[in-house]
Amino acid sequence: MGKTKRLVTLALFTSVALMLSFIESRIPAFVAIPGVKMGLANIATVFALYRLGVRDAIYISTLRVALSSLLFGSVSSFIYAIVGASLSLLAMVMVKWLTPLSSVSVSCIGGVVHNIGQVLAALLILRTDVVLYYLPALLLSGTVAGAVIGVAGGLLIKRINPREI
Amino acid sequence: MAENKASRGFFGTLKAHLPDIILILSLLVFSGLLILMFSLFRPLGDRVTVEVEGVTVATYSLSADGEYEIGEGNRLVIEGGEAYISWADCPDHICIRTGRISRVGETVICLPNKVAVTVRGEGGPDLVS
């Protein structure tokens, strides 16, 4: 992929992820548990991981988190998001590399680790271990959300012509 | 980047890959079990602690009704042995929607305001050091 094409592709992916993140931020919280969400923007992350490679996925994910918390978040939302997204990406890369699991499972594990990361961040920021009580519910929602996002990502991976992206 | 066959995701081939099903099912079962373990059959507490940014700023007995301000952003109500947040200035109001808590270890948390209200008592939460 030529340099310019790559640059444009990365920018487009980041924008799409940002828009998904924005749309999701406008949906009122489903459940009375902080941190439960679908993680729509991760469709872009998963797709990038499988089509563009680890480094580009890291660029897109990190940039998206920074921009979205800059535009419609706060400093503390940035901290939670970056911790969750980094650990999640690390886990997904490891699972993809070390196991023959499909993109659905990779995304599933990404969702779970993302929530674990956010609980960890809350643990450090709030300095109270009481947040651990939310972990089981977050594990469940992370699994379900991750699986759904993984299916969506899998569909994209299958349908989009490898010669175009 | 290499795209191995497994990357197509199981909706791509309409054929479920066994390891995937096993993984997802076991994750679901595991977290479901954790939820059951944690939520049922915990004793009623006798007091609530209010923590802001990790510092305990107040403790209230659950047996005495009252209404208290937590900083400038949340209002805590104790009524009939239960505690709940009646007003908050955060965007999602998750703390208000959490409802009433009364059992040891139950919490109401407001992340934007960094507030945590926890029920304490005998047979306290297993994770407190």
Side-chain angles (χ1 to χ4, degrees), chain A residues 25-39:
Chain A
S25 75
R26 302 301 297 162
I27 303 175
F30 245 55
V31 176
I33 301 172
V36 171
K37 57 173 190 151
M38 281 189 293

Side-chain angles (χ1 to χ4, degrees), chain B residues 53-108:
Chain B
E53 290 189 38
V55 177
T56 305
V57 299
T59 307
Y60 302 111
S61 163
L62 277 174
S63 43
D65 288 2
E67 232 182 84
Y68 312 96
E69 303 284 330
I70 305 177
E72 290 179 357
N74 303 84
R75 189 176 304 138
L76 174 71
V77 173
I78 306 212
E79 190 181 57
E82 300 174 314
Y84 61 95
I85 300 229
S86 60
W87 171 86
D89 62 2
C90 51
D92 283 332
H93 287 348
I94 290 183
C95 49
I96 300 178
R97 292 163 51 189
T98 306
R100 298 154 178 264
I101 54 173
S102 57
R103 295 184 181 270
V104 175
E106 284 188 321
T107 59
V108 179

Side-chain angles (χ1 to χ4, degrees), chain A residues 104-158:
Chain A
V104 183
S105 300
V106 166
S107 171
C108 198
I109 291 178
V112 170
V113 172
H114 186 104
N115 284 348
I116 294 179
Q118 289 185 309
V119 169
L120 232 57
L123 205 57
L124 293 173
I125 293 182
L126 296 182
R127 300 297 178 77
T128 167
D129 47 12
V130 146
V131 288
L132 287 169
Y133 280 98
Y134 288 116
L135 197 54
L138 287 178
L139 287 181
L140 186 62
S141 88
T143 307
V144 172
V148 169
I149 297 300
V151 169
L155 282 170
L156 283 177
I157 293 170
K158 185 198 177 212

Side-chain angles (χ1 to χ4, degrees), chain A:
Chain A
M1 197 185 259
K3 262 201 202 168
T4 309
K5 184 173 182 193
R6 183 159 166 264
L7 188 64
V8 171
T9 307
L10 284 178
L12 280 175
F13 269 72
T14 306
S15 311
V16 167
L18 193 57
M19 282 317 298
L20 287 172
S21 180
F22 172 68
I23 291 172
E24 192 168 33
S25 75
R26 302 301 297 162
I27 303 175
F30 245 55
V31 176
I33 301 172
V36 171
K37 57 173 190 151
M38 281 189 293
L40 288 178
N42 293 309
I43 298 179
T45 308
V46 169
F47 185 84
L49 191 59
Y50 278 86
R51 279 299 179 81
L52 302 175
V54 175
R55 204 167 51 146
D56 290 349
I58 294 178
Y59 285 151
I60 293 169
S61 180
T62 310
L63 200 53
R64 183 258 304 180
V65 164
L67 285 173
S68 85
S69 47
L70 201 63
L71 291 173
F72 26 87
S74 61
V75 175
S76 84
S77 78
F78 172 71
I79 297 179
Y80 289 116
I82 197 74
V83 169
S86 312
L87 289 175
S88 160
L89 207 47
L90 181 68
M92 286 199 284
V93 168
M94 279 178 15
V95 171
K96 174 173 185 280
W97 189 34
L98 297 171
T99 70
L101 291 170
S102 78
S103 61
V104 183
S105 300
V106 166
S107 171
C108 198
I109 291 178
V112 170
V113 172
H114 186 104
N115 284 348
I116 294 179
Q118 289 185 309
V119 169
L120 232 57
L123 205 57
L124 293 173
I125 293 182
L126 296 182
R127 300 297 178 77
T128 167
D129 47 12
V130 146
V131 288
L132 287 169
Y133 280 98
Y134 288 116
L135 197 54
L138 287 178
L139 287 181
L140 186 62
S141 88
T143 307
V144 172
V148 169
I149 297 300
V151 169
L155 282 170
L156 283 177
I157 293 170
K158 185 198 177 212
R159 304 280 176 192
I160 296 185
N161 192 332
R163 274 188 300 175
E164 291 171 26
I165 292 201

